[in-house]
Amino acid sequence: LILPQVENILSETICSGEVWTIGGVDYNTSGNYRDTLIGFNSCDSIVDLTLTVLPLNATDLNETVCFGTTWTVGNSTYDQSGSYVDTLIAFNGCDSIVSLDLMILPEFNTSLVGVICEGEIYTSAGIDYSVSGMYQDTTTAFNGCDSIVILDLTVLTHTATDLNETVCFGDSWTVGNNIYDQTGSYVDTLVRDNGCDSIVSLD
């Protein structure tokens, strides 16, 4: 009785870093291999192997985002500057290694204290203000990110004083730098110690 020789034809695919083992021999490189083993009937068993080793996908990312923005790789979300490595599954079923160098640009905050007189305008971040209050504006900084400007504005009021005065002939009345010695109605605009107008009406 002559026992038949057994021949097996294999076509296999593995990922880079994996091995395919036949008869105690490991293969990790694409190619065609022929091995002779001992079959169940103690005769030779020929194995013809066509092995394909799929490469790993490696991606290097250098990203810059503004403060408050995140960067996502797979299921991982990053909001701090740093270097990160994530292993994902590529379309071919093998590992996809993503190396991320992330830079988070800082947020710029500016606090302003403004004081103006009634009737004047205070301009901040291109917006005009004329009423006391706290204001917050968002502009674009030199690095393209948000710049937060917080303005504490005080509007000082003008003062108005009405004077009705009587003096004797030969006397005079002084308002600021003006001296009056004739009967009449006069209006003077003075500057208070806070820098705003003080309107004095004199009869």
Side-chain angles (χ1 to χ4, degrees):
L1 177 63
I2 299 176
L3 298 175
Q5 178 177 272
V6 178
E7 185 168 355
N8 294 298
I9 299 176
L10 301 177
S11 180
E12 303 296 339
T13 300
I14 62 174
C15 297
S16 177
E18 297 177 344
V19 296
W20 189 267
T21 302
I22 296 177
V25 179
D26 294 334
Y27 298 100
N28 59 10
T29 304
S30 295
N32 296 309
Y33 303 97
R34 184 178 181 88
D35 287 281
T36 301
L37 311 178
I38 302 301
F40 68 93
N41 58 10
S42 298
C43 296
D44 288 347
S45 174
I46 307 300
V47 178
D48 288 312
L49 170 64
T50 300
L51 182 64
T52 301
V53 179
L54 300 176
L56 294 177
N57 292 316
T59 304
D60 292 325
L61 299 177
N62 287 281
E63 303 297 339
T64 300
V65 298
C66 295
F67 179 83
T69 304
T70 60
W71 192 270
T72 300
V73 178
N75 294 323
S76 300
T77 300
Y78 303 103
D79 61 1
Q80 300 289 326
S81 295
S83 296
Y84 306 95
V85 177
D86 288 277
T87 301
L88 311 179
I89 302 300
F91 67 92
N92 61 10
C94 294
D95 287 347
S96 175
I97 309 299
V98 179
S99 299
L100 170 65
D101 283 324
L102 182 63
M103 171 67 73
I104 304 291
L105 297 177
E107 178 182 52
F108 292 94
N109 293 326
T110 303
S111 295
L112 301 176
V113 176
V115 179
I116 61 174
C117 297
E118 186 178 9
E120 295 179 344
I121 296 296
Y122 191 100
T123 301
S124 173
I127 301 175
D128 294 336
Y129 299 99
S130 60
V131 178
S132 294
M134 294 288 295
Y135 302 95
Q136 178 173 307
D137 295 294
T138 301
T139 63
T140 301
F142 69 92
N143 61 7
C145 296
D146 285 348
S147 175
I148 309 299
V149 179
I150 300 173
L151 169 63
D152 181 3
L153 180 63
T154 300
V155 179
L156 302 176
T157 59
H158 295 305
T159 59
T161 304
D162 293 324
L163 299 177
N164 288 280
E165 303 297 339
T166 302
V167 297
C168 296
F169 181 82
D171 291 335
S172 61
W173 192 267
T174 300
V175 178
N177 294 323
N178 296 318
I179 300 173
Y180 301 104
D181 58 5
Q182 300 290 323
T183 297
S185 296
Y186 306 95
V187 176
D188 288 280
T189 301
L190 310 180
V191 178
R192 296 168 55 197
D193 56 358
N194 63 9
C196 295
D197 289 347
S198 175
I199 309 300
V200 180
S201 299
L202 170 65
D203 284 328

